[in-house]
Amino acid sequence: MEIPVCDPCPETEARDKHLTRGRFLARQDAWDRLATEFHTAERNRHMTPGLLPVAALLASGARADAMAAARGAVQRTEPRRARAVLAALDLAMEDQPDCPATAFVAAMAHVDLARDWRGASPPGGLSPQRRDAYDWHMRRAAELADRYDPFECESPAWAEVRCALLEAAPGPACAPPTTSRI
């Protein structure tokens, strides 16, 4: 008897390959190797067949374990535990304090976790505890982003962080519309 099996498409294979590679390097504490592969992928603008940036996939894989633990803390409404989990990524940055790749991993982890605290609600509609956690993680991501200019680094990844931070930025003060009488 034959059972038909659908082979994964090239996009799925490529995506899984880069996510797995990033996770493997982080688990091995091979942050220097991850940084090299991240920079190569960024510099050469490597993409999957479905046009996902390889550098972003490596970084996503690198933060996957920490994010799983931190998301568990969010589900239990434990903001201090969530912060402590992501502090492990800050330790990885201590070995390479000026490395945009490890900082990007940490910054996007904070953005992702802030979004988990927010859920589907607008930031203004959150409970005080969730709003504090959301704000804290977005501020931490902004602190990391302030170290790297996407244009100077020629980095689409850092541009992604800057765009993600816009959701937490205060809106511009708008003057009330004026009416003119003709």
Side-chain angles (χ1 to χ4, degrees):
M1 175 193 310
E2 287 187 32
I3 299 174
V5 176
C6 182
D7 290 332
C9 69
E11 172 62 16
T12 301
E13 287 180 343
R15 187 188 67 231
D16 291 348
K17 172 185 151 189
H18 298 300
L19 288 169
T20 301
R21 180 69 178 158
R23 180 179 286 138
F24 172 79
L25 292 170
R27 287 178 177 175
Q28 300 305 310
D29 253 355
W31 293 98
D32 55 340
R33 183 70 193 146
L34 176 73
T36 300
E37 291 183 24
F38 178 92
H39 291 304
T40 299
E42 271 248 299
R43 184 176 49 255
N44 297 321
R45 305 297 193 258
H46 289 165
M47 307 286 258
T48 65
L51 302 180
L52 289 175
V54 169
L57 290 169
L58 288 168
S60 184
R63 67 180 182 269
D65 289 341
M67 289 306 300
R71 285 184 169 130
V74 170
Q75 290 173 347
R76 293 184 304 277
T77 317
E78 297 173 344
R80 290 162 87 188
R81 175 73 182 135
R83 289 179 193 173
V85 169
L86 292 193
L89 294 176
D90 289 338
L91 290 175
M93 290 185 337
E94 286 179 7
D95 292 338
Q96 299 178 318
D98 298 322
C99 178
T102 54
F104 174 76
V105 170
M108 282 308 294
H110 284 287
V111 167
D112 289 347
L113 203 58
R115 289 175 172 167
D116 288 344
W117 281 110
R118 188 196 69 212
S121 302
L126 298 174
S127 69
Q129 183 181 32
R130 285 187 167 273
R131 178 59 193 227
D132 288 346
Y134 171 84
D135 289 341
W136 189 89
H137 287 287
M138 284 301 219
R139 275 193 310 273
R140 181 65 183 130
E143 289 169 7
L144 293 168
D146 286 344
R147 296 181 187 180
Y148 303 98
D149 181 271
F151 296 105
E152 288 177 16
C153 295
E154 294 183 36
S155 174
W158 280 107
E160 177 186 2
V161 173
R162 294 283 182 185
C163 289
L165 292 172
L166 289 175
E167 77 179 53
C174 295
T178 58
T179 57
S180 61
R181 296 181 189 226
I182 299 182

